[in-house]
């Protein structure tokens, strides 16, 4: 398995200084799975290429803590690991080019921060998901990609394509950044059984991904694949990488106790029941629970056969993990499992995954958003996702005076950004309905007090028919 890095920035043989590897020598480094050899097939002031040849010892691999195959008896001896770039290549990069990865260059430190034209060639990269995944990973970082996919067997073209590619990546970038991209993304492409999965890897991923992974549109896939779908680790890493928006919600979720003031009467069950009833009544088949929290509504929805597909979305990885544990989706029979999906995302961004639903519920979600973010949510839900029916519930602030020992003006929950009176809620919802061509009805949730109304309030929006036709 060969990785070459070429630059043409004059004088190109500076690459030797940057990599801390003398161009005239062949050098070797031991890694757990074999040996890495570093040499220069081409050195001149015009063009310089450093090669890293990885020599994996498949037998040594079995003896060490390498990946244990379980697909067939000899898999641990007969597999593609010696021939493809995988997490072993990352380990070799980290070992052979450690100074460069850490941004150190003893003799020419001024070169460290210089973006140079580089071309990287990976002789064989296994990419699960094919070229689309390769592009989704490298293109947002600015790489030009030239990928050649190999047939499973050239003698039997009918067998089709393999997952193996010869890949050339070009970019003008610092060497340090280039190496950190390769370090993280090679095993992400491969997505095989890595030999590394422990909490330390979260730190390594965050360190190597620093400065680019936060803003990468495929960061979720990168983190999950890198950490091999270990939910708890991926959750830790993602919560560090989430945007400020998202991170604030995560923090609030940790700090804020559950509803602090509301009586323990299962008022919340009433809201959920009311939301479910409205979605049933609307005849919705594909429904989304937006800001689903720990999946209380999802459970109710699953019990109704009318709902053919149910999506739960929340910004908080932590609550999604709880939801996932509670629902035990993996253990559901196939038919049931196909009906439900949990996704992480923020309602303050347009999200194509939310399009095409007949019904959506936002149960006690809007009051968790600051006004500018609420405006973004309005557009994301009513302008772009545009479900046929939208059920929104929120506390009725007027009712707070009936709570015992509840100081005036205090909100029910530490993370609430506002609590509206019935008038305020109705004004907001009516404006929204007019703006996005919905009809809206208001309902009380819970027993109504003659003066201050009920504990919670609900708006049911239905998309006007001619609005539907326009699209
Ligand atoms: N609907 C649930 C949870 C209500 S608590 C229930 O009734 O039980 C509010 C939920 O909204 C939290 O889980 C929080 O993580 C989520 N949330 C807050 N801001 C969000 C945003 N911008 N996008 C998606 N979810 C959000």
């Amino acid at each position: 398995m060969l990785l070459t890095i070429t630059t043409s920035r004059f004088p190109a043989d500076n690459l030797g200084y940057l990599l801390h590897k003398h161009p005239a020598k062949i050098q070797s480094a031991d890694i757990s799975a074999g040996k890495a050899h570093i040499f220069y097939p081409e050195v001149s002031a015009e063009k310089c290429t450093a090669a890293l040849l990885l020599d994996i010892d498949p037998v040594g691999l079995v003896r060490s803590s390498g990946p244990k195959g379980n697909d067939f008896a000899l898999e641990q001896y007969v597999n593609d690991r010696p021939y493809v770039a995988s997490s072993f290549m990352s380990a070799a990069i980290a070992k052979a080019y450690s100074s460069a990865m850490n941004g150190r260059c003893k003799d020419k430190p001024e070169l460290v921060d210089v973006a140079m034209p580089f071309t990287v060639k990976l002789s064989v990269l296994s990419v699960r998901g094919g070229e689309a995944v390769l592009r989704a990973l490298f293109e947002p970082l600015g790489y030009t990609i030239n990928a050649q996919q190999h047939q499973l067997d050239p003698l039997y073209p009918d067998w089709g394509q393999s997952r193996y590619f010869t890949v050339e990546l070009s970019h003008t970038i610092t060497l340090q950044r280039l190496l950190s991209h390769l370090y993280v993304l090679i095993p992400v492409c491969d997505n095989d059984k890595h030999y590394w999965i422990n909490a330390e890897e979260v730190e390594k991923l965050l360190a190597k991904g620093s400065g680019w992974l936060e803003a990468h549109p495929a960061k979720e896939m990168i983190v999950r694949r890198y950490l091999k779908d270990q939910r708890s680790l991926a959750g830790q890493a993602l919560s560090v990488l989430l945007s400020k928006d998202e991170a604030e919600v995560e923090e609030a979720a940790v700090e804020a106790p559950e509803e602090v003031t509301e009586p323990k009467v299962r008022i919340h069950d009433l809201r959920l029941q009311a939301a479910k009833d409205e979605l049933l009544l609307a005849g919705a088949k594909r429904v989304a629970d937006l800001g689903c929290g720990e999946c209380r509504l999802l459970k109710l929805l699953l019990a109704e056969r009318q709902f053919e597909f149910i999506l739960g979305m929340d910004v908080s990885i932590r609550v999604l993990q709880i939801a996932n544990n509670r629902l035990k989706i993996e253990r559901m029979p196939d038919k049931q499992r196909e009906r439900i999906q949990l996704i992480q995302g923020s309602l303050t961004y347009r999200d194509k995954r939310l399009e095409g639903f007949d019904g959506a519920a936002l149960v006690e979600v809007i009051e968790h958003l600051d006004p500018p973010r609420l405006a973004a949510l309005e557009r994301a839900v009513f302008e772009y996702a545009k479900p046929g029916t939208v059920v929104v519930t929120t506390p009725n602030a007027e009712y707070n005076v009936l709570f015992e020992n509840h100081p005036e003006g205090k909100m029910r929950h530490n993370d609430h950004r506002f609590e509206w009176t019935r008038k305020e809620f109705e004004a907001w919802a009516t404006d929204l309905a007019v703006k996005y061509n919905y009809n809206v009805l208001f309902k009380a949730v819970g027993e109504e007090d003659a003066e201050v109304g009920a504990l919670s309030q609900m708006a049911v929006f239905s998309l006007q028919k001619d609005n539907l036709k326009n699209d």
Side-chain angles (χ1 to χ4, degrees):
M1 173 52 224
L2 188 67
L3 161 78
T4 61
I5 300 178
T6 302
T7 186
S8 54
R9 182 182 185 273
F10 190 85
D13 46 1
N14 269 342
L15 188 58
Y17 290 103
L18 269 171
L19 289 173
H20 273 237
K21 292 283 173 282
H22 198 289
K25 291 187 195 157
I26 297 179
Q27 299 181 51
S28 299
D30 287 320
I31 62 157
S32 68
K35 261 188 182 318
H37 306 283
I38 304 104
F39 57 95
Y40 289 76
E42 183 169 11
V43 187
S44 73
E46 283 69 43
K47 195 169 171 203
C48 183
T49 298
L52 199 162
L53 178 73
L54 192 54
D55 191 9
I56 301 270
D57 167 13
V59 176
L61 203 61
V62 177
R63 293 208 192 100
S64 73
S65 56
K68 301 274 184 276
N70 49 14
D71 293 342
F72 59 97
L74 283 176
E75 194 196 344
Q76 48 179 331
Y77 294 100
V78 185
N79 56 53
D80 64 2
R81 298 297 86 188
Y83 313 107
V84 304
S86 67
S87 52
F88 298 125
M89 179 54 94
S90 298
I93 292 173
K95 183 93 185 254
Y97 298 148
S98 67
S99 306
M101 275 205 92
N102 292 318
R104 286 195 307 267
C105 181
K106 206 165 53 179
D107 297 320
K108 303 201 174 203
E110 69 283 2
L111 292 179
V112 168
D113 295 323
V114 178
M116 306 181 179
F118 283 112
T119 300
V120 171
K121 199 161 176 184
L122 286 149
S123 58
V124 189
L125 180 63
S126 114
V127 190
R128 286 193 202 246
E131 195 168 334
V133 165
L134 187 67
R135 292 194 180 279
L137 294 174
F138 284 96
E139 278 178 347
L141 299 168
Y143 288 88
T144 308
I145 302 171
N146 190 348
Q148 189 204 341
Q149 190 167 13
H150 298 288
Q151 289 180 330
L152 265 177
D153 189 330
L155 286 181
Y156 302 96
D158 289 355
W159 291 2
Q161 301 286 356
S162 70
R163 61 168 186 271
Y164 303 112
F165 289 78
T166 296
V167 177
E168 210 178 85
L169 302 164
S170 311
H171 196 3
T172 299
I173 189 172
T174 65
L175 181 64
Q176 184 185 14
R177 190 47 72 82
L178 172 83
L179 294 174
S180 73
H181 289 160
L182 295 174
Y183 178 92
V184 173
L185 296 181
I186 287 174
V188 166
C189 284
D190 178 43
N191 198 27
D192 201 62
K193 311 170 185 82
H194 309 340
Y195 71 98
W196 64 35
I197 298 297
N198 57 40
E200 247 175 59
E201 283 311 321
V202 175
E203 275 162 40
K204 279 195 204 161
L205 172 64
L206 295 173
K208 303 280 191 297
S210 166
W212 61 273
L213 188 52
E214 304 86 344
H216 198 300
K219 70 179 171 220
E220 248 192 277
M221 170 171 66
I222 295 173
V223 169
R224 291 201 194 294
R225 282 185 167 205
Y226 184 94
L227 296 169
K228 262 326 285 169
D229 290 330
Q230 297 245 332
R231 284 172 197 282
S232 58
L233 295 181
Q236 278 176 39
L238 274 169
S239 51
V240 177
L241 289 170
L242 292 172
S243 66
K244 197 165 153 279
D245 253 31
E246 298 161 317
E248 274 177 21
V249 175
E250 289 283 346
E251 264 168 41
V254 183
E255 285 165 13
E258 282 282 289
E259 298 281 340
V260 280
T261 310
E262 285 184 359
K264 288 278 173 270
V265 203
R266 300 306 300 163
I267 175 68
H268 195 57
D269 289 345
L270 288 180
R271 288 184 193 117
L272 300 173
Q273 192 69 39
K276 182 191 86 176
D277 289 346
E278 291 300 332
L279 293 173
L280 279 173
L281 204 66
K285 294 196 167 136
R286 289 174 55 82
V287 290
D289 183 9
L290 305 177
C292 62
E294 298 170 7
C295 82
R296 294 191 178 97
L297 179 60
L298 293 174
K299 271 192 159 169
L300 293 183
L301 298 177
L302 264 175
E304 299 293 338
R305 284 164 159 251
Q306 177 180 319
F307 302 126
E308 291 169 4
F309 182 71
I310 302 157
L311 180 83
M313 192 243 224
D314 204 285
V315 76
S316 163
I317 305 273
R318 193 171 294 105
V319 302
L320 284 172
Q321 273 166 1
I322 298 172
N324 195 54
N325 292 343
R326 287 204 177 145
L327 289 167
K328 301 191 176 55
I329 295 180
E330 302 92 274
R331 289 201 229 149
M332 287 178 182
D334 289 353
K335 274 240 151 68
Q336 191 78 330
R337 199 173 49 232
E338 283 160 16
R339 283 176 68 212
I340 183 151
Q341 191 186 7
L342 293 181
I343 60 170
Q344 192 269 342
S346 174
L347 289 165
T348 51
Y349 296 96
R350 179 179 189 171
D351 190 332
K352 288 224 177 295
R353 297 173 300 177
L354 302 184
E355 290 172 18
F357 283 87
D358 314 313
L362 291 108
V363 178
E364 308 294 286
V365 173
I366 58 170
E367 64 276 8
H368 290 268
L369 285 99
D370 293 327
R373 290 187 190 154
L374 182 60
L377 174 144
E378 290 164 23
R379 295 197 68 189
V381 174
F382 289 89
E383 183 177 344
Y384 298 122
K386 225 198 257 181
T389 298
V390 186
V391 182
V392 177
T393 79
T394 193
N396 165 20
E398 292 165 78
Y399 195 93
N400 292 359
V401 295
L402 297 187
F403 295 136
E404 278 173 35
N405 304 325
H406 186 83
E408 210 188 312
K410 186 174 181 285
M411 309 249 187
R412 296 182 195 180
H413 190 293
N414 298 351
D415 188 46
H416 284 179
R417 311 301 160 96
F418 59 84
E419 281 172 3
W420 281 335
T421 62
R422 284 168 293 174
K423 260 208 167 122
E424 285 169 325
F425 181 51
E426 284 168 21
W428 171 79
T430 310
D431 279 355
L432 201 59
V434 171
K435 196 162 170 193
Y436 296 111
N437 296 320
Y438 277 80
N439 294 323
V440 62
L441 286 174
F442 298 96
K443 303 195 175 176
V445 185
E447 208 174 310
E448 275 190 277
D449 177 87
E451 265 187 31
V452 298
L455 216 133
S456 212
Q457 43 187 345
M458 178 165 83
V460 183
F461 298 84
S462 16
L463 193 59
Q464 290 168 7
K465 293 276 179 298
D466 41 346
N467 190 10
L468 266 176
K469 266 187 242 134
N470 288 342
D471 282 275

